[in-house]
Amino acid sequence: MTTLYDEAHARSLSDPDGFWGEAAETCFWYKKWDKVLDDSNKPFYRWFTGGETNTCYNALDFHIDKGRGDQAALIYDSPVTDTVKTYTYHQLRDTVARFAGVLADQGVVKGDRVIIYMPMIPEAAIAMLACARLGAIHSVVFGGFAANELATRIDDAKPKVVVSASCGIEVQRVIEYKPLLDGAIDASTHKPEKCVIFQRPMATADMIAGRDVDWIEAMEQATPRDCVPVAATDPLYILYTSGTTGQPKGVVRDNGGHLVALKWTMKNIYDVDAGDVYWAASDVGWVVGHSYIVYGPLLRGCTTILFEGKPVGTPDAGVFWRVIAQHQVKTMFTAPTAFRAIKREDPQAELIQQYDLSHFKVLFLAGERTDPDTLHWAEKNLGVPVIDHWWQTETGWAIAANCMGLHHYPVKEGSPTKAAPGWDVQVVDDACQPVAPGEIGALVVKLPLPPGTLPTLWQNDARYLESYLEEFPGYYKTADAGFIDAEGYIYVMSRTDDIINVAGHRLSTGAMEEVLADHPDVAECAVLGVADQLKGQLPVGFLVLNAGVERDEGEIIKEVIQMVRERIGPVAAFKTATVVKRLPKTRSGKILRGTIQKIADNETYKVPATIDDPTILNEMEVALEGIGYAKARS
Ligand code: COA
Ligand code: AMP
């Protein structure tokens, strides 16, 4: 039987112009495109060239024009401040237009960059949309990153203005953002001209005269601004994500392709309509927050929820059910780790019984593979389909999903189901040859990528080509390994680079190694992601000290942990390290990370034929036992 999904997938690949051209007709354009898919400069593809639009117009004004002005656009639900605040489309548009006035008053014009370093408050989304309104390019930096990471992004994006807040709230702790921002600007070479600061009552920031502007005062003086038409191919935002070094990659998102693709996904993947309540429990600092807290639901005319809290502890493991019930959420999207945290506190799901979840229809999970335990626990206790889907910061939306608006396929454990329309996903070997169904290889996507995906890296075409397009000519390298079964179900098994996934957050072990290697007593080091029941993976560091170092090893470990926290941020969750005499290596000097990882994860492993000295593996086992891994865990 041919399903709607089969038809959509086949047409999206055989007739991309027709497929995406039709999707684009549902959006607002100042000027229609000349070409849907522009392949005149391969392997750089562009979507909707010649078209002019505005993403903020499509997300807000468009719905007011269609009579949805009084519908809730955004509900801010903050258990940490005990606040629920609703913005209708009218109110949100007016606030965004006024904040666009604030940015314009600071000199921001089309094409300027604005860094947004904010906690999960509505002002973060307002700032993003205000940039889009002016055609300025926002770059949101996640609050859990340290000043140093913020400085790196400031130097790369060269923002005219930074928008920030005085503080964020982590469960019960108030985290002051302003000292981090000031530290980042001190450390960066590029100096933003202005910082617009939203003062929160839990911690008021000291302002720097001449540079810092108070959000509330500036709003009182500003005049609302209209949307500025931009080319479909103009950047909407830059989002930095971990690469294999300490230098993050600036993923660029365009306006036209992004808006068309995201609006299309809302119906076809998530099966939501205008007026439905959609909740992505993530953070605006991550791609999920960009696509599915802010842009996707608003482009579709939904009510989106911006949640400032955690799955547990704000105040308890029932908060997700409370939010779903209180706001009549139809579709929710979060990371499996959030469900593992809830399951650990409330294994029998007793708290669910206290809430009426009758409006709730589907749970989507992404960010890491959904483990079978979490899948079944959620299915059993929520009584709705639980849909794993696979995507990346680079792709902006799902590469593979059970497209609920097209056809609901049976769920297979460990699989995000099939390639979404627009995606020609294949598995190849090292020589770029296709492998048989069921065989593991590199997961790649035949070019062109669909609209909404990265056209390049910010001012770095060379790194874009090198990172994604060169290893497998004609294909986009996802850097995930996996297989596709005979029915077309995709299985994503592991990364092929040094990226690890900690609580759904993407981190580079290479970047952590760069920090560790900077410690004066460390001669050599390795950081690996080892399996963790709650967070999926946790980084663990192995340090080889310089000859002659006689300091207390515990002190050195404490120091490197603090260094990672200060330079990368608490989000790295780097809390475990151990000192070893040497690291297992091949005869050519490559660290045998895979083998160390297998020992740590208690998996059976073969002694690699290329190992320099096999006796070292016993030393590694002892070291890992000493920090609670390897045999000690079984
Ligand atoms: N600002 C400042 N600090 C932050 C922060 C922010 N925005 N976000 C996280 N941190 C800090 C935390 O306070 C914590 O610090 P600590 O080491 O002092 O305790 C550290 O960074 C790690 O945070 P987190 O990964 O959130 O761990 P946690 O133990 O506090 O919570 C979970 C664990 C599973 C509840 C939490 O990670 C979670 O909700 N994950 C969902 C992930 C998600 O939404 N991913 C997005 C992709 S869909
Ligand atoms: P990020 O860029 O932070 O979204 O992280 C992207 C990476 O997370 C992917 O390359 C995968 O390694 C992993 N990932 C995301 N979603 C899934 C999923 N559903 N199944 C398996 N891995 C996933």
Side-chain angles (χ1 to χ4, degrees):
M1 183 193 77
T2 306
T3 65
L4 276 179
Y5 159 82
D6 292 326
E7 283 170 16
H9 190 256
R11 180 163 177 237
S12 70
L13 300 188
S14 65
D15 176 22
D17 282 13
F19 186 87
W20 293 112
E22 256 169 46
E25 297 288 355
T26 66
C27 305
F28 168 81
W29 299 85
Y30 296 103
K31 178 173 171 287
K32 200 173 165 172
W33 54 91
D34 300 325
K35 266 188 173 177
V36 175
L37 172 62
D38 180 355
D39 60 0
S40 57
N41 183 26
K42 289 179 189 171
F44 295 93
Y45 295 87
R46 294 288 182 267
W47 290 91
F48 304 105
T49 43
E52 281 182 22
T53 186
N54 182 287
T55 299
C56 180
Y57 191 92
N58 275 280
L60 300 175
D61 306 61
F62 180 87
H63 305 298
I64 297 169
D65 296 348
K66 296 266 185 284
R68 294 195 166 273
D70 294 331
Q71 180 202 305
L74 184 146
I75 301 173
Y76 166 55
D77 187 309
S78 168
V80 293
T81 58
D82 204 14
T83 312
V84 173
K85 181 174 177 187
T86 301
Y87 292 77
T88 63
Y89 271 95
H90 254 131
Q91 290 165 335
L92 189 58
R93 194 270 312 265
D94 291 351
T95 314
V96 166
R98 191 171 283 276
F99 192 66
V102 171
L103 291 176
D105 289 344
Q106 312 315 315
V108 173
V109 295
K110 182 165 139 181
D112 283 342
R113 273 80 58 213
V114 174
I115 280 196
I116 300 173
Y117 184 59
M118 301 278 261
M120 281 291 286
I121 53 177
E123 286 71 19
I126 289 163
M128 291 164 76
L129 289 159
C131 289
R133 197 166 186 88
L134 296 177
I137 303 164
H138 62 70
S139 186
V140 184
V141 178
F142 177 62
F145 281 123
N148 179 59
E149 291 283 325
L150 180 56
T152 310
R153 287 154 174 80
I154 290 175
D155 276 334
D156 198 66
K158 301 191 173 44
K160 188 174 263 180
V161 169
V162 176
V163 182
S164 189
S166 56
C167 65
I169 302 159
E170 279 292 296
V171 189
Q172 285 171 352
R173 260 182 316 146
V174 173
I175 314 268
E176 293 197 34
Y177 275 42
K178 187 62 178 8
L180 295 170
L181 172 61
D182 291 343
I185 295 176
D186 279 347
S188 61
T189 314
H190 171 85
K191 308 289 178 197
E193 290 168 23
K194 297 281 178 189
C195 296
V196 182
I197 309 294
F198 185 78
Q199 296 278 19
R200 305 184 79 188
M202 310 88 202
T204 315
D206 294 334
M207 305 289 268
I208 296 179
R211 188 197 75 185
D212 295 346
V213 175
D214 181 276
W215 173 299
I216 295 169
E217 286 170 15
M219 282 291 265
E220 280 163 8
Q221 284 153 24
T223 42
R225 295 291 166 130
D226 269 339
C227 294
V228 174
V230 295
T233 50
D234 280 342
L236 168 69
Y237 70 76
I238 308 165
L239 180 57
Y240 288 90
T241 189
S242 300
T244 47
T245 64
Q247 182 65 32
K249 293 170 171 166
V251 168
V252 173
R253 197 81 61 210
D254 67 8
N255 274 278
H258 173 254
L259 110 87
V260 171
L262 281 198
K263 191 167 185 180
W264 179 91
T265 64
M266 292 306 290
K267 178 64 197 163
N268 293 281
I269 296 185
Y270 298 102
D271 195 22
V272 290
D273 294 309
D276 286 342
V277 184
Y278 181 95
W279 178 26
S282 176
D283 189 289
V284 286
W286 305 117
V287 68
V288 175
H290 282 62
S291 295
Y292 293 112
I293 296 175
V294 182
Y295 290 112
L298 296 177
L299 289 168
R300 180 79 186 141
C302 297
T303 301
T304 187
I305 295 184
L306 193 133
F307 172 71
E308 187 182 28
K310 296 249 176 182
V312 294
T314 61
D316 59 26
V319 70
F320 274 16
W321 327 134
R322 196 268 298 156
V323 172
I324 292 174
Q326 186 169 337
H327 306 303
Q328 306 197 335
V329 172
K330 179 178 172 190
T331 306
M332 182 186 185
F333 177 170
T334 192
T337 186
F339 266 70
R340 289 196 297 270
I342 295 171
K343 180 162 70 112
R344 194 166 70 168
E345 297 233 333
D346 182 19
Q348 303 308 320
E350 282 162 10
L351 292 167
I352 292 185
Q353 312 312 322
Q354 299 176 10
Y355 299 95
D356 172 9
L357 303 189
S358 53
H359 285 83
F360 188 45
K361 296 290 179 257
V362 197
L363 171 67
F364 282 85
L365 297 173
E368 54 174 327
R369 179 176 167 267
T370 299
D371 54 286
D373 276 359
T374 304
L375 174 74
H376 297 311
W377 187 88
E379 282 176 337
K380 175 170 154 241
N381 292 302
L382 290 169
V384 299
V386 177
I387 308 298
D388 182 8
H389 60 329
W390 167 49
W391 51 302
Q392 308 181 314
T393 305
E394 288 84 346
T395 68
W397 58 284
I399 310 168
N402 208 333
C403 295
M404 296 299 280
L406 291 169
H407 187 81
H408 181 189
Y409 283 96
V411 168
K412 291 193 193 181
E413 268 181 17
S415 169
T417 317
K418 303 189 182 213
W423 297 91
D424 184 355
V425 182
Q426 302 185 16
V427 185
V428 296
D429 62 18
D430 290 348
C432 200
Q433 294 305 307
V435 303
E439 227 175 89
I440 293 189
L443 284 161
V444 294
V445 184
K446 193 161 186 301
L447 297 176
L449 295 182
T453 54
L454 82 169
T456 189
L457 293 174
W458 178 247
Q459 296 193 328
N460 205 340
D461 285 349
R463 191 174 183 198
Y464 169 71
L465 293 174
E466 184 212 314
S467 307
Y468 304 109
L469 303 188
E470 275 171 5
E471 191 170 339
F472 303 105
Y475 297 89
Y476 164 80
K477 176 175 90 169
T478 66
D480 279 314
F483 65 93
I484 303 181
D485 75 9
E487 287 181 308
Y489 279 65
I490 294 172
Y491 292 78
V492 184
M493 310 301 288
S494 59
R495 291 283 301 195
T496 56
D497 53 15
D498 69 356
I499 300 286
I500 58 170
N501 202 313
V502 180
H505 307 144
R506 170 169 161 177
L507 297 161
S508 158
T509 54
M512 293 187 222
E513 287 175 5
E514 284 176 20
V515 176
L516 265 45
D518 249 9
H519 189 286
D521 294 335
V522 172
E524 202 180 14
C525 64
V527 176
L528 294 165
V530 301
D532 179 75
Q533 287 216 324
L534 173 66
K535 296 197 175 187
Q537 284 185 301
L538 274 181
V540 171
F542 300 87
L543 313 172
V544 179
L545 301 184
N546 286 319
V549 170
E550 288 186 353
R551 293 183 54 214
D552 178 35
E553 290 179 0
E555 282 303 309
I556 297 172
I557 289 171
K558 267 196 215 148
E559 285 162 13
V560 295
I561 289 174
Q562 191 55 27
M563 280 168 75
V564 173
R565 199 175 169 91
E566 276 167 15
R567 294 216 206 150
I568 297 180
V571 68
F574 182 78
K575 295 193 169 159
T576 312
T578 184
V579 172
V580 291
K581 286 208 173 57
R582 50 198 181 138
L583 291 165
K585 290 188 184 165
T586 61
R587 279 187 285 273
S588 61
K590 244 179 119 192
I591 297 172
L592 288 160
R593 290 160 197 282
T595 312
I596 309 178
Q597 178 142 16
K598 285 204 164 74
I599 300 175
D601 290 347
N602 253 337
E603 288 176 22
T604 46
Y605 65 93
K606 277 195 197 136
V607 177
T610 52
I611 194 165
D612 182 29
D613 172 7
T615 61
I616 194 179
L617 295 178
N618 297 333
E619 290 171 31
M620 288 309 291
E621 285 192 15
V622 173
L624 279 157
E625 278 178 40
I627 50 171
Y629 289 94
K631 285 183 187 149
R633 295 192 317 147
S634 53

